[in-house]
Amino acid sequence: MIQNFFSENWGQATEKFYKNASNVGELLWCVDSQHKFDIPYSIVGNGPNVVLMISGVNGIQGFYGSAAQNLFLKEWAPYFKPEISRRFTFVLVHVVNGWGMQNKMPETLDKQSGALIDINRNIGVDFSKKKKIPKNPIYNRAHNLLVSKPEPQKKLAAIKKNSRQLMAKRENLFRGQHAHKNGLFFGGVQPARESLMTRHILDNVMSGARSLTAINFTTGPCMMPQEVTCDVYSHGDFKKIDYFANLMGGFSVSGVGEVVRHDALPRFLKSQYGDKMPVYSANWCLGTYKNPGTFSDYLLLHAGNARWETENYGKISPYTHGKLIGLWYMDNPLWKDCAMVNTYGMFYAFLHRINHFYGKNR
């Protein structure tokens, strides 16, 4: 069955990736003696245009991301025409946040502080220069509201009352948390081991490249179950939205002009390689069954509870953990089958169109 591309845990997912990657290209490993979860990555093709496919930056989303990568390696990569291998180098970085996948958390655990760190807000931060560490006084107010003792009904009511003001600029919640050990989406006070390992992999594979097209596999609430969306980080150049819209065919594409509101990864890719080559970056998000109308309130409620419980009890309660898992992952055979069918269609549209685009424009 097509759902068999999914795995039950990080170890099983990595074993599948190892087997599939070994059959079609070069398999490499990034190993850190201070880190339990090694990061394997596969290189297919030898062209000047790098297509980066990365999974598990938010750990729990690695279940889908790993399945998508294994589908690519088994159903697409073995049948590439020579022209694709000459034009492109496909780099698949498998489950950046192994701890998060294994423990079904979006973040990783910083052993020194005991805090949960979101790699999406950690990888691009220059911790060597204090002036460059994100600051945001408005977040202090949000932190005091959200990361407080869990009283679900009163807390949810307070969040709803204040959410419009707090969310007026989304960076109010996505920036300025480095001063708090358990910020709502904490970025840490130093680069996470996973961030350092990912930087090492990227520097290795980008040597000599002429362009970078980066795809980050994600999951989350969407308007329709199994809806496939593509959030394009344009870095101010909205022509790049057209680029991905053309590549994605009939799939839903939305543009994001400011990358600071969400992920540090596309901002990091732009800062590292943008002055040398075109950089295109997007999230491919596969929808869960959750209604996005309630997404913001419940995400803030349960993410805030998770931080409060971590800080006061040293662990997250099963109830809070279960609520967070449900937003990002569906452990359902039908959902998994549909996920792989939709992902197969995404690859079909993307691979055919990207080859045509570079054939005409490069």
Side-chain angles (χ1 to χ4, degrees):
M1 297 176 68
I2 199 166
Q3 65 176 261
N4 289 337
F5 288 105
F6 277 87
S7 301
E8 296 299 319
N9 51 56
W10 174 85
Q12 188 182 95
T14 302
E15 184 177 349
K16 290 181 181 180
F17 184 83
Y18 175 89
K19 179 180 178 180
N20 291 323
S22 299
N23 290 333
V24 295
E26 184 180 7
L27 177 66
L28 301 170
W29 293 82
C30 187
V31 178
D32 187 323
S33 60
Q34 300 181 49
H35 190 62
K36 179 180 178 180
F37 297 91
D38 301 333
I39 303 177
Y41 59 105
S42 175
I43 298 176
V44 181
N46 54 10
N49 303 297
V50 173
V51 179
L52 173 68
M53 298 182 181
I54 190 167
S55 71
V57 175
N58 290 105
I60 191 172
Q61 298 176 18
F63 287 95
Y64 164 63
S66 171
Q69 289 176 318
N70 280 307
L71 175 71
F72 178 87
L73 290 170
K74 191 163 186 177
E75 300 295 332
W76 286 104
Y79 310 107
F80 280 163
K81 294 180 180 179
E83 64 187 58
I84 292 184
S85 296
R86 287 195 301 267
R87 288 177 180 164
F88 302 100
T89 296
F90 294 89
V91 179
L92 289 81
V93 182
H94 184 258
V95 187
V96 169
N97 182 4
W99 185 93
M101 180 178 180
Q102 191 75 356
N103 291 277
K104 294 186 176 179
M105 288 295 298
E107 303 87 354
T108 190
L109 177 68
D110 181 77
K111 292 183 178 179
Q112 290 184 337
S113 68
L116 293 167
I117 295 178
D118 187 337
I119 297 174
N120 260 341
R121 292 158 185 89
N122 182 275
I123 190 172
V125 178
D126 186 353
F127 291 96
S128 66
K129 299 177 181 178
K130 291 185 178 181
K131 291 184 178 180
K132 289 194 174 184
I133 297 177
K135 294 184 181 353
N136 178 14
I138 297 176
Y139 175 77
N140 294 333
R141 182 157 45 87
H143 180 90
N144 293 335
L145 169 66
L146 299 166
V147 187
S148 58
K149 186 175 181 179
E151 297 179 25
Q153 295 305 318
K154 292 183 179 179
K155 192 169 183 177
L156 183 56
I159 290 172
K160 287 182 176 180
K161 181 179 178 180
N162 291 275
S163 61
R164 179 173 295 182
Q165 184 178 7
L166 295 174
M167 301 284 281
K169 291 186 176 180
R170 290 179 66 87
E171 58 263 36
N172 288 349
L173 295 179
F174 295 131
R175 297 179 65 219
Q177 303 165 65
H178 295 74
H180 297 269
K181 176 183 175 182
N182 282 291
L184 186 65
F185 301 102
F186 186 53
V189 296
Q190 61 186 0
R193 303 309 304 181
E194 296 90 339
S195 295
L196 295 174
M197 294 166 76
T198 303
R199 292 184 192 184
H200 176 79
I201 293 172
L202 293 174
D203 285 340
N204 181 35
V205 301
M206 290 305 297
S207 177
R210 293 182 190 171
S211 72
L212 172 62
T213 299
I215 297 170
N216 182 22
F217 295 106
T218 66
T219 57
C222 290
M223 291 302 296
M224 297 291 291
Q226 290 296 327
E227 180 185 14
V228 178
T229 63
C230 179
D231 291 327
V232 180
Y233 298 98
S234 69
H235 306 287
D237 181 1
F238 280 84
K239 291 181 180 179
K240 294 179 182 179
I241 296 174
D242 294 334
Y243 167 84
F244 265 101
N246 290 331
L247 293 182
M248 292 298 294
F251 294 103
S252 173
V253 179
S254 59
V256 181
E258 290 292 334
V259 299
V260 295
R261 74 169 196 155
H262 271 122
D263 303 337
L265 178 60
R267 185 168 67 251
F268 173 72
L269 296 176
K270 176 66 175 180
S271 66
Q272 287 293 103
Y273 312 112
D275 60 340
K276 306 170 188 174
M277 67 190 76
V279 176
Y280 308 96
S281 185
N283 278 346
W284 283 6
C285 182
L286 191 73
T288 62
Y289 283 94
K290 297 297 179 181
N291 183 341
T294 62
F295 168 65
S296 294
D297 292 336
Y298 280 99
L299 171 62
L300 297 177
L301 172 67
H302 296 299
N305 287 357
R307 295 307 178 278
W308 189 90
E309 291 165 3
T310 300
E311 195 163 14
N312 289 274
Y313 301 139
K315 62 181 181 180
I316 299 172
S317 71
Y319 174 81
T320 300
H321 193 192
K323 291 294 183 181
L324 288 172
I325 289 174
L327 290 168
W328 308 115
Y329 174 60
M330 291 290 293
D331 191 10
N332 178 294
L334 178 60
W335 185 88
K336 292 178 180 179
D337 277 341
C338 292
M340 291 295 92
V341 170
N342 279 337
T343 304
Y344 189 93
M346 279 202 302
F347 282 135
Y348 177 85
F350 179 76
L351 292 171
H352 283 72
R353 290 170 182 266
I354 197 173
N355 192 38
H356 176 77
F357 176 86
Y358 275 86
K360 295 290 185 181
N361 297 283
R362 295 291 186 272

